[in-house]
């Protein structure tokens, strides 16, 4: 594992050690596990310049040659899965089994885009004039800047970097300051796979606003791809507006999970557990609001309570642990304040709701009943292992409550009715809907949201298009 533990920024194929450092901690123990180079504007600009220099040669390679490099990268990530998972658990906190799942999930995007790299095809158009033909080709954008969050440090960057490289773009990535080590380790594997110098750069640092400003103001950057909060996404969109840079925004969610009276209760409870407590509730597609039909509510709550009571919370490295810490003590504090606020407004704590004796970064799995739509635990993305539940009586009421949010990322529906599956899925204003299933993500699906959850899609046959420009060529004089 140690050979993959990099603590420097990767600029133009060189690991750059800076005197300025920042500490990375293990959230379960609060131990400092590394001191990492703290880059600023100068290093970000150097990385962008390097990416700009590397772009002509990389984009001119055959798509087969780029695909081969991505394949080698995929194979190296899979070969090093266990070391990567350990590093991920150490800096992020998720249980080892989940970390391993994330490594392979991230790798699946590299593999997928190694395949898709071969399909950058265009079109021949039949024009209204008989003496000319129209061609449409796809060209890579140039330098792409990518900013990723701490909740899925490997998967979120693989979803951006793999399609960008497949399309012939070059990349400057800024990983979250909480979790730079996994990104640096996977970048080291990219170098070993033969990604040429300057094609993929990683800028680590704590002054995110300055790094973001350097990225969005540099003329060589043709696109910004961002995964993170809606608040920062809005800011970056504004910064990209003047130069009209392309953007992809994967922003916050506030997923409703609807359990109808004809649902399979066991399936609905299993789905709720997976959708809520994975990564300690810190995923953008986590079920944030549970809506249960009154007729099925007592059975659902009983089975859900049993499942929540069976969770084992602890440090991610420990055997048998099914839920780890949150990312930081500050995140726990914010969560607890929101729960306490809901209680003062009439919510009832059914499980959890206290500061955990396991440590300052732990928050217990929590179930809140008697929740109202006006409460912040309902209106805002929780990003915590807290489950607010409301009941409903009609489909129309459930759909209206579910759609009553600015977010539009994911939603879940549990019903045995074929008719209702379609009707409700089509009425929900979200980019992704899981019907009787909450494990909805994979490299073959278009991941992304609508409304304030962002724009653009990652993964799938649509994902490569976000990194290419269409060019129309008119060939005349053919009479
Ligand atoms: P965040 O605060 O927005 O941070 C995300 C990234 O943006 C980090 O790398 C952060 O750097 C950087 N950043 C912060 N302020 C910036 C600025 N002014 N300019 C440029 N970059 C800036 O979000 P988070 O709390 O880490 O992540 C959780 C959020 O991400 C949730 O809302 C979640 O729903 C969303 N998310 C969405 C998806 C999706 O696919 N839609 C997937 C995963 C997560 P530092 O770490 O250095 O502050």
């Amino acid at each position: 594992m140690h050979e993959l533990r990099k603590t420097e920024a990767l600029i133009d194929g060189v690991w750059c050690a800076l005197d300025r450092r920042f500490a990375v901690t293990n959230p379960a123990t609060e131990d400092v596990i590394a001191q990492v180079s703290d880059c600023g504007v100068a290093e970000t600009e150097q990385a962008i310049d390097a990416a700009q220099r590397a772009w002509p040669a990389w984009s001119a390679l055959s798509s087969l040659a780029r695909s081969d490099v991505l394949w080698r990268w995929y194979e190296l990530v899979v070969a090093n899965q266990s070391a990567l998972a350990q590093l991920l658990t150490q800096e992020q906190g998720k249980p080892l089994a989940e970390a391993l799942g994330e490594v392979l999930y991230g790798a699946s995007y590299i593999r997928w885009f190694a395949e898709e790299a071969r399909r950058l095809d265009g079109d021949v158009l039949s024009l209204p004039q008989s003496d000319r033909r129209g061609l449409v080709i796809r060209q890579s954008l140039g330098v792409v800047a990518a900013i990723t969050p701490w909740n899925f440090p490997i998967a979120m960057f693989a979803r951006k970097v793999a399609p960008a490289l497949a399309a012939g773009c070059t990349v400057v990535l800024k990983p979250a300051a909480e979790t730079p080590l996994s990104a640096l380790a996977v970048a080291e594997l990219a170098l070993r796979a033969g990604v040429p110098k300057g094609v993929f750069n990683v800028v680590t640092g704590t002054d995110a606003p300055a790094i973001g400003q350097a990225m969005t103001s540099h003329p060589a950057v043709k696109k910004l791809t961002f995964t993170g909060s809606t608040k920062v996404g809005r800011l970056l969109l504004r910064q990209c507006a003047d130069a009209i840079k392309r953007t992809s925004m994967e922003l916050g969610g506030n997923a409703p999970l609807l359990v109808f009276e004809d649902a399979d209760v066991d399936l609905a409870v299993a789905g709720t557990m997976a959708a809520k407590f994975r990564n300690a509730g810190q995923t953008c597609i986590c079920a944030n609001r549970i809506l249960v039909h009154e007729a099925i509510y007592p059975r659902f709550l009983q089975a859900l309570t049993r499942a929540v009571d069976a969770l084992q919370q602890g440090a991610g490295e420990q055997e048998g642990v099914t839920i780890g810490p949150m990312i930081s003590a500050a995140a726990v504090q914010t969560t607890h304040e929101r729960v306490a606020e809901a209680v003062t407004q009439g919510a009832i704590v059914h499980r959890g709701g206290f500061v955990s004796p396991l440590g300052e970064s732990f928050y217990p799995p929590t179930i809140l009943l008697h929740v109202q739509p006006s409460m912040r635990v309902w209106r805002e993305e929780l990003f915590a292992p807290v489950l607010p539940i409301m009941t409903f009586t009609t489909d129309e009421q459930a759909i209206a409550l579910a759609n009553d949010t600015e977010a539009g990322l994911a939603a879940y529906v549990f019903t045995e009715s074929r008719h209702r599956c379609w009707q409700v899925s089509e009425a929900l204003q979200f980019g992704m809907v899981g019907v009787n299933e909450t494990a909805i993500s994979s490299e073959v699906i278009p991941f992304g949201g609508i409304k304030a959850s962002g724009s653009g899609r990652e993964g799938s046959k649509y994902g490569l298009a976000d990194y290419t420009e269409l060019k129309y060529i008119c060939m005349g004089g053919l009479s």
Side-chain angles (χ1 to χ4, degrees), residues 147-151 156 159 174-178 205-206 208-209 212 226-230 232 235-236 250-253 284 381 383 409 447 453:
I147 302 179
T148 49
W150 48 261
N151 65 338
M156 293 305 104
R159 265 187 357 198
K174 191 208 92 62
E178 291 90 341
T206 49
F226 173 74
T227 297
S229 61
T230 299
V232 174
L235 182 85
L236 291 168
E250 296 284 349
L251 308 178
C284 52
E381 183 185 33
F383 233 56
L409 190 58
F447 194 104
S453 290

Side-chain angles (χ1 to χ4, degrees), residues 237-251:
L237 275 171
R238 268 184 227 120
Q239 287 176 206
C240 286
D242 277 345
I244 323 214
K245 291 191 196 302
R246 285 265 291 264
T247 57
S248 291
M249 293 280 150
E250 296 284 349
L251 308 178

Side-chain angles (χ1 to χ4, degrees), residues 63-86:
S63 53
L64 177 60
R66 286 198 301 270
S67 167
D68 284 347
V69 173
L70 286 166
W71 266 109
R72 283 197 295 276
W73 191 20
Y74 159 72
E75 283 166 355
L76 283 169
V77 171
V78 172
N80 287 279
Q81 57 184 277
S82 148
L84 290 169
Q86 281 173 42

Side-chain angles (χ1 to χ4, degrees), residues 27 46 66 89 101 131 167 172 187 200 206 232 245 288 326 336 356 385:
Q46 282 167 23
R66 286 198 301 270
T89 291
D131 65 341
V172 178
F200 177 31
T206 49
V232 174
K245 291 191 196 302
N288 206 56
M326 294 185 71
H336 193 52
S356 170

Side-chain angles (χ1 to χ4, degrees), residues 337-385:
E337 279 164 21
R338 288 220 203 151
V339 169
E341 182 186 278
V343 169
T344 63
Q345 294 167 347
I348 299 210
V349 173
H350 178 64
R351 282 295 184 275
F354 51 84
V355 177
S356 170
L358 291 170
E360 287 189 350
S361 299
F362 287 89
Y363 201 72
T366 295
I367 301 177
L368 287 179
L369 309 179
H370 295 202
V371 172
Q372 294 297 323
S374 56
M375 294 177 183
R376 277 206 301 166
V377 288
W378 190 265
R379 283 202 329 268
E380 296 175 10
E381 183 185 33
L382 280 159
F383 233 56

